[in-house]
Amino acid sequence: KAGVTQTPRYLIKTRGQQVTLSCSPISGHRSVSWYQQTPGQGLQFLFEYFSETQRNKGNFPGRFSGRQFSNSRSEMNVSTLELGDSALYLCASSFGQTGELFFGEGSRLTVL
Amino acid sequence: GENVEQHPSTLSVQEGDSAVIKCTYSDSASNYFPWYKQELGKGPQLIIDIRSNVGEKKDQRIAVTLNKTAKHFSLHITETQPEDSAVYFCAASSERSSTLGRLYFGRGTQLTVWP
C-alpha cells in the first residue's frame, strides 16, 4: 500500500515569491493535515481538510492556505514568502474519524 | 489550547539498555496520545499510540503508559538497538470532530543508541 506522497521534496524560493506544495494521501484516506516543522518551533499544525472542506485551522497568517480536491489530494500555498517560512512542510493523511495520522516525507522549503 | 512537554531532549543509552521518554499534557479533554519516530530526512512515523480508556499498551519492545490523573504518558523502549536511534515525538489530541487531524506535539527527544 503506497504511503503519503509529497511533491516537490526540495525547493528554493526567494522572498516575496509564492509556493505550492502537493500531497497525495494514502488510498482510502479522506483527511489531509498539514504541519510546519522548524528547529525553533517544532511541529506546528497548519490546517486539516476532510472531504474538500477545511475542518480545522492552526494559528498561521492568511498567507498560508490550502485546499483539497475530490480525489482527496491536497495542496497548500504560501504567498509572499518570508525568510521565516523556511521549514519542512509535512502532510499527513487519515481516514478522518480518529486521531491516527500517517505522515509523508515532507517538502523542504528554503527561502532566500 | 493543549500544551505538551517532553523530557529529556536528548538521551544516550548503550545497546541493550532501556530508554524512557516522558511527556505531560495540560488539556484534560485530550484522549489520544500517539508516539512518532523521525529518522533523519524522513517524515514522522507512528510507532505506537494509546487512548485514555487504556492505561498501558505494548508492542514487542515498545510500550506506552498513561496516567490520566497526573496527565502524563511515557514511552518505554527495551533492549535498545542502534537502529532505534532517531528523534521521538509524543503528541496529544482530542478525538472530537472539531479537532481531528490536529495533534499537539512535544519538542522531541533525540535518542542515540551506542553499540
Side-chain angles (χ1 to χ4, degrees):
Chain A
K1 194 174 187 180
V4 177
T5 303
Q6 291 189 245
T7 57
R9 290 292 313 279
Y10 303 91
L11 65 166
I12 300 173
K13 294 286 187 179
T14 57
R15 280 183 300 174
Q17 288 187 312
Q18 73 164 9
V19 66
T20 298
L21 309 177
S22 180
C23 173
S24 292
I26 293 171
S27 177
H29 285 189
R30 296 169 62 192
S31 168
V32 171
S33 301
W34 289 89
Y35 287 78
Q36 181 194 66
Q37 185 176 25
T38 60
Q41 299 298 318
L43 281 150
Q44 293 188 293
F45 172 77
L46 282 155
F47 27 65
E48 185 251 358
Y49 288 86
F50 179 79
S51 293
E52 302 179 65
T53 300
Q54 186 181 85
R55 193 164 58 170
N56 206 345
K57 188 178 189 304
N59 299 322
F60 278 81
R63 300 186 297 108
F64 293 80
S65 63
R67 59 178 175 168
Q68 187 181 32
F69 303 96
S70 58
N71 61 358
S72 294
R73 192 177 69 84
S74 176
E75 289 182 346
M76 69 162 282
N77 183 275
V78 188
S79 62
T80 319
L81 284 166
E82 301 176 359
L83 295 177
D85 296 333
S86 295
L88 181 66
Y89 289 89
L90 292 160
C91 167
S93 77
S94 75
F95 286 108
Q97 305 302 326
T98 69
E100 297 175 14
L101 300 186
F102 298 90
F103 283 86
E105 304 284 70
S107 293
R108 183 164 295 282
L109 170 65
T110 301
V111 182
L112 301 176
Chain B
E2 173 66 277
N3 181 44
V4 177
E5 296 196 357
Q6 182 172 348
H7 299 281
S9 57
T10 61
L11 180 59
S12 292
V13 299
Q14 204 72 34
E15 183 178 1
D17 288 349
S18 295
V20 180
I21 303 171
K22 299 182 178 182
C23 290
T24 61
Y25 62 99
S26 61
D27 188 354
S28 57
S30 290
N31 57 4
Y32 175 66
F33 307 93
W35 286 86
Y36 287 86
K37 174 184 180 182
Q38 187 173 27
E39 297 175 331
L40 200 61
K42 295 189 176 183
Q45 177 191 4
L46 178 66
I47 56 172
I48 195 168
D49 56 14
I50 191 168
R51 289 182 168 82
S52 58
N53 58 344
V54 175
E56 183 174 359
K57 184 176 179 180
K58 190 173 181 179
D59 182 5
Q60 299 184 340
R61 297 186 297 109
I62 295 174
V64 59
T65 59
L66 171 66
N67 183 324
K68 285 190 297 183
T69 304
K71 294 196 184 75
H72 68 68
F73 55 114
S74 302
L75 177 71
H76 304 252
I77 306 174
T78 59
E79 300 173 19
T80 54
Q81 301 167 3
E83 50 265 39
D84 293 329
S85 297
V87 179
Y88 290 81
F89 292 94
C90 63
S93 80
S94 167
E95 289 188 301
R96 300 186 297 242
S97 59
S98 61
T99 59
L100 284 171
R102 182 170 195 164
L103 294 176
Y104 293 87
F105 283 89
R107 296 307 298 269
T109 296
Q110 173 68 63
L111 173 64
T112 303
V113 181
W114 300 99

